[in-house]
Structure formats: structure tokens, C-alpha cells
Amino acid sequence: MRHRRKRRHSLTHLGLLRLTEYLEGANFAAYVDLLQTPWRLALLNLIGGIFRGLGIGLGFTVIAGLVVLILQQLELLNLPVIGKWIADLVQIVDGQLRARAFTY
């Protein structure tokens, strides 16, 4: 009987050691500390949201600019059907850019 208790105790001890190592590896203490300071958590979320928004905006601008450049190059090829559609689209974008330049 005493042997069983000792074995059960050692298995429980090993389980607790594994759990401790896992929580330390996952930096669980820092997460709990962050949850206990709600203002810091809100500030970190606000800053993260701002940078995500900037990243999305800048990324979309770069991709849209590349698409417009590609469309302008396709316009130079003078493809019959696609060329007219691309020319109209480029004129619309160019008109919007000029209209914004005058407002500043």
C-alpha cells in the first residue's frame, strides 16, 4: 500500500513538473500579469490596432499602385477590347488623383 502511494505521488509530481515547464515556456506569468493590468492591456491593443490599420492601408496602396502600373503598361499594347477598358480605368484613377491634388 505504501508503495502505491509513493508511486502515485511521484507520478503526480512528474505531472506537475511537466505542467510547470509548459507554463514557463508559454510565458504564462506575463499573460496573467497583463490580465491583471487592464489599462496596459487596452493600451497594447490600441497600439496594435493602429499599426495593423497602417499596415493594411499601406499594403493596399502599394498593391493598387502596382495594379495601376500594370494596367498602364497593358494600355500601351493597344489590345482591342481590354485596351479601351483599361484606358477608361486609368483615366478615372488619374482624374481622382488630380482632383485630390487640387484640394490640398
Side-chain angles (χ1 to χ4, degrees):
M1 177 100 167
R2 187 172 189 163
H3 179 65
R4 273 190 176 166
R5 283 186 188 170
K6 190 172 185 180
R7 183 173 178 222
R8 199 178 307 159
H9 176 70
S10 65
L11 289 176
T12 305
H13 183 69
L14 285 175
L16 285 175
L17 285 177
R18 287 183 189 160
L19 179 63
T20 303
E21 289 173 2
Y22 174 76
L23 291 177
E24 285 176 0
N27 206 5
F28 189 71
Y31 178 69
V32 170
D33 185 44
L34 185 64
L35 288 178
Q36 291 176 351
T37 54
W39 288 107
R40 184 168 179 248
L41 179 63
L43 180 66
L44 288 175
N45 282 328
L46 175 68
I47 292 170
I50 289 170
F51 280 106
R52 274 189 294 275
L54 285 173
I56 290 170
L58 290 174
F60 179 76
T61 302
V62 168
I63 290 173
L66 288 174
V67 168
V68 168
L69 287 174
I70 291 170
L71 291 176
Q72 284 177 338
Q73 294 301 316
L74 286 175
E75 179 188 3
L76 295 176
L77 294 176
N78 252 347
L79 300 173
V81 176
I82 300 174
K84 182 175 178 351
W85 179 76
I86 292 172
D88 292 341
L89 186 62
V90 169
Q91 285 178 352
I92 292 170
V93 171
D94 194 39
Q96 289 293 323
L97 289 175
R98 287 186 182 160
R100 287 187 184 172
F102 288 125
T103 59
Y104 295 121

